[in-house]
Amino acid sequence: MTLTLDDLFASPDHYLHSFDGDEALFMPMDRAAYHRSIFLDDRISPAADQSMKLPVAALIRESRTPAPTGWIFHVAHCGSTLLARALDDPEASLVLREPRALRQTAFNPDAKRLALVTAMIGKRYRADAPTLVKANVPVNFLLPQLAETDPEARAIMLYLPLRGYLLAILRNDNHRTWLRNVTSQLAPYLGDLSQLSDAELAAALWLAQVDGFTKALGRMPHARTLDAETFFAEPSMVLKAATRHFGIPISDAIVDTTVAGPLFATYSKNPSLPFDNAARIARRAEVEQAIAAELDVAEAWVARHAASPSPEAALVESALIR
């Protein structure tokens, strides 16, 4: 059977993975492939070993209006993968974790490409269940455009208060390398931060994202915020509230089963590693002692640069769980 443009824009089985210059790379997917693909970047696990490329310009000419889509925006290393995987029920919901084409568009903003990407990621298997997209940090800087595209979109903005964020971001060399790389890549949004220390970089990235979330809340009446510590402490309560917020048909009983199962006893990015909230709390205490001086530096940086003494105040007021 011949594949048509209508098919491409209608079925999630045809996944717009990424842009390669003037071509768009599509990969074959099905519900099982989406479910097992913890991320949809180079770590994707497609339904078959085949792909195809099509001219971006031709797709843009035929682009459709995006279907209403749910969003998880987050500040990084705050449980977003765990949240997204816990809301991924192959019988009820389609969850896209970190689509690469969306991330690419954040680094190279283009209104027409963004419209194409949102049309493609909004595709769904069930008419009564919106697709849920877990974005990543660069996409936070597309929030003004995404809010303009669909101001009625339902979203959760997952964050950590400053100290918790610093403990997550500065806890090891790999995270620090990520911090330096992403702040360099985001220089068009953040400015040149190359002279800052790791502690100051983390503070600057946190403040920029908190400010971005705060502005987006004013444009997106159905957006809610979530303190990651609340999620870690009360996962069943949070997940039940999230399913209601997004309109995902997952029962409370399934949520309870998920929380009691292996997902919450292993590392969300690598299920072969044991990890739970108790281990996270213990690790946090060790890190807090080890980087005490850097915590002071970062907190002082935010105090000097924030527009108010409580930059996350609007996030607290808009909480999914109060």
Side-chain angles (χ1 to χ4, degrees):
M1 186 172 68
T2 302
L3 182 65
T4 68
L5 283 172
D6 285 339
D7 296 328
L8 286 177
F9 281 99
S11 174
D13 285 355
H14 312 295
Y15 171 64
L16 172 57
H17 176 268
S18 55
F19 296 113
D20 183 6
D22 293 330
E23 294 184 308
L25 173 67
F26 284 82
M27 289 190 172
M29 298 292 282
D30 54 27
R31 294 200 71 140
Y34 281 113
H35 186 67
R36 69 174 175 261
S37 295
I38 296 179
F39 297 105
L40 292 172
D41 50 20
D42 292 338
R43 294 164 286 186
I44 191 172
S45 178
D49 292 330
Q50 63 189 47
S51 61
M52 65 177 178
K53 289 184 177 180
L54 295 172
V56 173
L59 294 167
I60 287 174
R61 285 195 298 270
E62 297 294 330
S63 192
R64 311 294 199 263
T65 301
T69 304
W71 294 89
I72 296 174
F73 302 105
H74 64 95
V75 297
H77 305 298
C78 60
S80 61
T81 302
L82 180 61
L83 176 62
R85 291 187 64 202
L87 293 171
D88 185 352
D89 180 344
E91 299 300 320
S93 55
L94 174 59
V95 181
L96 278 57
R97 289 175 287 274
E98 304 196 5
R100 186 175 182 186
L102 184 63
R103 186 178 192 272
Q104 289 178 307
T105 307
F107 285 126
N108 296 284
D110 179 284
K112 292 180 179 179
R113 287 198 178 201
L114 181 58
L116 172 62
V117 171
T118 54
M120 287 291 178
I121 63 179
K123 297 181 291 187
R124 54 177 78 177
Y125 284 115
R126 285 181 55 166
D128 63 338
T131 294
L132 180 60
V133 178
K134 170 184 132 50
N136 50 19
V137 164
V139 180
N140 292 336
F141 297 88
L142 283 180
L143 265 168
Q145 296 93 314
L146 293 171
E148 183 178 356
T149 298
D150 185 7
E152 300 300 313
R154 294 188 172 271
I156 287 177
M157 298 175 181
L158 182 66
Y159 73 99
L160 277 165
L162 178 59
R163 178 161 285 244
Y165 181 76
L166 297 170
L167 292 170
I169 295 296
L170 300 175
R171 69 180 175 85
N172 61 35
D173 289 341
N174 285 341
H175 286 193
R176 287 171 183 255
T177 298
W178 171 87
L179 172 66
R180 296 175 202 130
N181 288 341
V182 79
T183 50
S184 175
Q185 292 168 329
L186 290 170
Y189 299 105
L190 301 175
D192 181 4
L193 304 180
S194 59
Q195 300 306 308
L196 298 186
S197 67
D198 287 351
E200 292 167 325
L201 283 177
L205 184 57
W206 179 85
L207 184 59
Q209 292 180 100
V210 166
D211 286 347
F213 284 0
T214 298
K215 291 174 183 176
L217 288 170
R219 303 182 182 120
M220 302 175 71
H222 300 301
R224 298 292 180 267
T225 61
L226 176 60
D227 184 334
E229 295 291 353
T230 302
F231 173 46
F232 294 139
E234 298 286 350
S236 287
M237 179 177 65
V238 168
L239 290 172
K240 290 169 186 176
T243 60
R244 293 190 293 270
H245 177 63
F246 287 122
I248 298 173
I250 300 175
S251 69
D252 287 356
I254 289 177
V255 167
D256 290 336
T257 298
T258 298
V259 171
L263 179 61
F264 281 80
T266 55
Y267 184 43
S268 62
K269 295 181 176 68
N270 183 354
S272 67
L273 299 177
F275 191 71
D276 59 14
N277 194 40
R280 184 190 68 86
I281 291 171
R283 183 183 67 191
R284 172 185 163 126
E286 292 177 2
V287 173
E288 192 161 19
Q289 285 189 329
I291 66 168
E294 287 184 293
L295 297 177
D296 292 340
V297 169
E299 290 169 346
W301 193 96
V302 170
R304 292 195 306 272
H305 292 87
S308 71
S310 300
E312 72 268 43
L315 307 190
V316 175
E317 294 171 1
S318 301
L320 177 72
I321 301 291
R322 295 181 180 274

